[in-house]
Amino acid sequence: MSNEWWRTAAIYQVYVRSFADANGDGIGDLPGVRSKLGYLAELGVDAVWLTPFYTSPMADGGYDVADYRDVDPVFGTLSDAEALITEAHDRKLKVIVDIVPNHTSSQHPWFVEALAAEPGSPARDRYLFRDGRDGGPPNDWESIFGGPAWTQVGDGQWYLHLFDPGQPDLNWENPEVRAEFESILRFWLDRGVDGFRIDVAHGMVKADGLPDAACSDQASLLTSRALPYFDQDGVHEIYRAWRKILDSYPGERIGVAEAWVPNAERLARYLRPDELHQAFNFHYVEADWSATAFRQVIDDSLAAVAGVNAPSTWVLSNHDVQRHVTRYGGGEQGMRRARAAALLTMALPGSVYVYQGEELGLEEITDLPEEVLADPMWERSGHTERGRDGCRVPLPWSGSEPPFGFGASSWLPQPQHWANLTAEAQRDDPDSMLALYREALRRRRELPAEGLEWLAAPEDVLALRRGAVTCTVNFSAAPVTIARPGSVELASCPVADLGVDEDTVTLPPESAVWWSGDRDG
Ligand code: NOJ
Ligand code: CA
C-alpha cells in the first residue's frame, strides 16, 4: 500500500452497539470490538470505522453527543478506547472515529446552558434559536426524522434540530463552535486515530436568513435535492481548516464526508485537494440492479473525482439504509445479487466500505416487534416509518441459538435462521459469503491503484479490466454467453455453474466473475 493508504483502503464499519458485547449487558461495546480485531484482520480490511461511542443519552443511537471527549459507560471507558486504538495499530488496522459536528445532544453542557440563558445571549448563539413566525416555528423546515425541525422552549423561542429534538443544531457562524471542534479533532488525533467520518458533513452551514425550503417531502436522510440547510458553499471553509489540522499530524490522517448531495460533481467539491480525503458514495447505494444503472454511477463517480485527484468510494450498505441483500430483492435472489455486487465493488478502483454483517450475507430484519424499535424515526413519524433498526440487529458470531455469541443477550432480537450465517458457520466453508469477501479483499490488493477499462459486452453484462484482472457481471435473470475473458479467479456462483468452453463462457444469471490473464492464461 502506498503511503496514501486511504486511496485504496477497504474500510470496515463497526456499529459499536451491535458488533460484540463483552460485559454481557446485551449491548455491543469497545472491549467487544477489541475482542474481534483478529476476525477483522483475518477478513483482510485495512481500517475500522467506529460509529459514535461518546457519552450520550442515546436519543439517536449515540449520534447525540453530550461529551465528545469521553466514552459512554455503556460502551466502556476512555482507556478502553485507547487500548482498542493501540491493539488495532498492532494488528496493522487503522482506526477512524465518527465526529458529529452538526448538532450536539440536548444534554450537552452548552445546550443546558443555552436553555437557562436569555434570548440573544452568547450561550444561545452557539445554537440556532429564533423567534417564531405567526405563532408557529420560524420557517417551514422539516426534521429528517419527521415533524417540524423546530421545538419551542419555555420563553417562546424556538431551536433548530434537523434531526431529533434531542439533537439541537449548532451555529457554525459562531467562532467558539469552530474552535471547540478543532480542539476535539486534536483530542482524538493525539490519541492516535487515523481519521474521522464526519456526520452530516453537508449540513453545518445554513443558507443566510434561514429561508423556507418551500417544498413538500423534505424529510429524508437520503435526500439528494437542493435545500437551504444542506450543501451550502460556506461549509467548505470548515474543511479547509480541518485539513490543515489533519496534515499537521504524522501519518496520513483522513477526513471522510457523510454528505448527501444532488450529484457526483457536488460531492467532489468536498474532496478538493485542501479539503477532505473521501466521501461516501451514496449514489452507488441508490443504483438499481441493472448494468445500465451501475455503469452510469461508476462512470459518473470516477469522472467527478478525477477532477480533484481523489479516490472514489464504493458503499453497498451502512447503518442508515436497508441491507443490500434485501434491497436487491431478498431471499436467494438478494443473496445471489449481493455476492455479485461484492465482486463488482471490490473490482473497482478506489476505497471500499464494508458494513458489519454484509460479509455474512445478513439481510434486513423487517419484522422486529414494535416494542423493541429504538430508532427515533419510529416515534417521530407517528409510527409510519419503522426506521433503521432492521439493519442494526446484533451480529451472529457462533452457536445455534440467539444471541449467537454476541453476548449474554442482544438488545434487538436475532432471527433463528441466522444460525446458518454465523461467522463460525461460514469460516471454513469455501462457498460462504464470508469466504467470498475474504478472497476478494485479498486479491483486491493485487489490483492497480487506479484505472478502469470497460470492455465490450452484451446489454445486461458489464465487463471491466483492471490490470491483469477482468471482472464480468451478468445482471440479467437469464444466462448470457460471452467470449471467455481468461481463467476463472473468483466467482460469485459455483464455478461448476459457469458454462466454460474453449472460446466462450455462459455466465449464470446475476453472477460476477474475476478472470485472470488472457483466455489461454
Ligand atoms: C447520519 C448518521 O449516519 C445517522 O445514523 C444519524 O441519525 C444522523 N446522521 C444524525 O446524526
Ligand atoms: Ca456491553
Side-chain angles (χ1 to χ4, degrees):
M1 210 187 308
S2 83
N3 195 21
E4 294 186 323
W5 61 273
W6 43 276
R7 287 192 177 272
T8 55
I11 303 178
Y12 187 96
Q13 179 188 354
V14 168
Y15 190 75
V16 178
R17 194 176 190 81
S18 304
F19 189 65
D21 170 25
N23 69 349
D25 65 355
I27 298 176
D29 45 45
L30 296 181
V33 180
R34 195 172 154 205
S35 73
K36 300 293 184 191
L37 287 174
Y39 169 84
L40 296 176
E42 199 180 314
L43 179 61
V45 295
D46 303 297
V48 181
W49 149 34
L50 303 166
T51 55
F53 48 76
Y54 315 109
T55 315
S56 166
M58 310 286 167
D60 181 21
Y63 281 96
D64 48 320
V65 181
D67 183 348
Y68 291 84
R69 295 180 183 82
D70 206 353
V71 173
D72 194 276
V74 103
F75 296 134
T77 62
L78 192 54
S79 17
D80 289 331
E82 288 167 343
L84 174 57
I85 295 166
T86 305
E87 191 176 328
H89 286 164
D90 289 347
R91 292 181 182 272
K92 305 273 173 288
L93 292 166
K94 309 271 186 196
V95 179
I96 294 172
V97 296
D98 225 301
I99 182 134
V100 189
N102 179 68
H103 43 264
T104 67
S105 160
S106 54
Q107 290 183 26
H108 188 283
W110 273 5
F111 194 73
V112 174
E113 193 188 334
L115 282 186
E118 304 274 292
S121 59
R124 288 227 169 157
D125 188 58
R126 296 184 189 122
Y127 292 89
L128 292 160
F129 281 87
R130 293 290 183 275
D131 293 329
R133 179 174 70 181
D134 308 328
N139 68 20
D140 71 351
W141 296 1
E142 290 166 15
S143 153
I144 312 295
F145 294 153
W150 297 90
T151 289
Q152 196 168 25
V153 301
D155 55 38
Q157 276 210 311
W158 300 71
Y159 71 89
L160 179 70
H161 52 86
L162 291 181
F163 295 88
D164 191 74
Q167 295 167 296
D169 278 53
L170 285 161
N171 171 19
W172 274 83
E173 306 301 333
N174 183 319
E176 233 189 307
V177 170
R178 294 195 183 223
E180 172 65 357
F181 275 88
E182 294 186 10
S183 155
I184 295 165
L185 292 182
R186 290 181 193 282
F187 179 87
W188 289 103
L189 288 166
D190 289 340
R191 274 160 188 74
V193 303
D194 301 283
F196 298 93
R197 176 268 189 192
I198 302 156
D199 189 61
V200 203
H202 56 316
M204 284 121 88
V205 172
K206 277 75 179 175
D208 272 349
L210 312 184
D212 280 339
C215 62
S216 57
D217 192 26
Q218 302 165 39
S220 158
L221 196 57
L222 318 186
T223 192
S224 301
R225 65 167 63 170
L227 289 164
Y229 44 84
F230 282 154
D231 198 29
Q232 301 296 307
D233 288 345
V235 83
H236 296 283
E237 201 191 305
I238 300 170
Y239 301 128
R240 285 192 276 270
W242 287 16
R243 180 60 180 256
K244 291 199 182 99
I245 295 173
L246 293 169
D247 285 349
S248 73
Y249 280 78
E252 292 275 312
R253 316 281 181 113
I254 71 165
V256 184
E258 188 232 7
W260 295 88
V261 298
N263 53 50
E265 284 77 44
R266 291 298 299 183
L267 196 61
R269 292 162 60 88
Y270 292 75
L271 304 175
R272 289 175 286 197
D274 58 349
E275 296 192 40
L276 301 172
H277 299 73
Q278 293 188 347
F280 294 108
N281 188 347
F282 295 125
H283 303 289
Y284 193 70
V285 175
E286 288 168 336
D288 290 334
W289 181 259
S290 79
T292 324
F294 271 81
R295 167 83 194 245
Q296 182 81 48
V297 70
I298 293 167
D299 279 342
D300 289 353
S301 308
L302 291 175
V305 294
V308 287
N309 188 31
S312 186
T313 66
W314 310 105
V315 181
L316 289 168
S317 280
N318 68 25
H319 65 294
D320 291 328
V321 301
Q322 195 177 53
R323 281 191 178 274
H324 61 272
V325 167
T326 305
R327 215 170 59 229
Y328 291 151
E332 279 179 24
Q333 181 183 55
M335 201 66 137
R336 202 161 55 234
R337 291 177 172 184
R339 290 177 63 93
L343 283 198
L344 170 60
T345 303
M346 306 270 189
L348 297 174
S351 179
V352 30
Y353 279 80
V354 176
Y355 174 49
Q356 66 177 42
E358 72 170 78
E359 80 280 17
L360 302 176
L362 301 188
E363 80 281 22
E364 184 85 3
I365 304 302
T366 52
D367 59 355
L368 287 169
E370 292 182 357
E371 61 276 13
V372 303
L373 296 179
D375 187 344
M377 210 176 261
W378 171 241
E379 287 302 328
R380 297 274 308 165
S381 69
H383 296 186
T384 57
E385 301 278 343
R386 291 176 64 86
R388 302 159 290 173
D389 293 313
C391 64
R392 300 174 177 180
V393 175
L395 289 199
W397 289 100
S398 58
S400 54
E401 300 290 332
F404 299 119
F406 168 72
S409 59
S410 74
W411 70 279
L412 287 173
Q414 304 149 309
Q416 178 58 47
H417 71 263
W418 277 9
N420 302 320
L421 295 179
T422 63
E424 181 186 56
Q426 297 194 44
R427 187 170 45 222
D428 300 322
D429 173 1
D431 299 327
S432 67
M433 187 71 101
L434 183 57
L436 186 74
Y437 268 73
R438 225 191 280 130
E439 267 304 285
L441 284 163
R442 188 172 69 77
R443 293 178 192 232
R444 182 179 173 275
R445 292 176 185 277
E446 287 147 30
L447 300 177
E450 288 174 22
L452 174 157
E453 183 195 347
W454 291 110
L455 307 177
E459 206 186 333
D460 292 323
V461 174
L462 290 183
L464 62 93
R465 200 163 171 81
R466 305 278 328 285
V469 170
T470 298
C471 173
T472 56
V473 189
N474 176 14
F475 282 84
S476 83
V480 178
T481 301
I482 59 168
R484 184 163 66 84
S487 22
V488 180
E489 279 267 306
L490 199 54
S492 70
C493 57
V495 174
D497 292 0
L498 288 167
V500 181
D501 220 323
E502 178 65 16
D503 296 322
T504 63
V505 57
T506 300
L507 305 170
E510 305 178 329
S511 65
V513 185
W514 284 24
W515 307 87
S516 65
D518 54 33
R519 215 6 130 154
D520 306 316

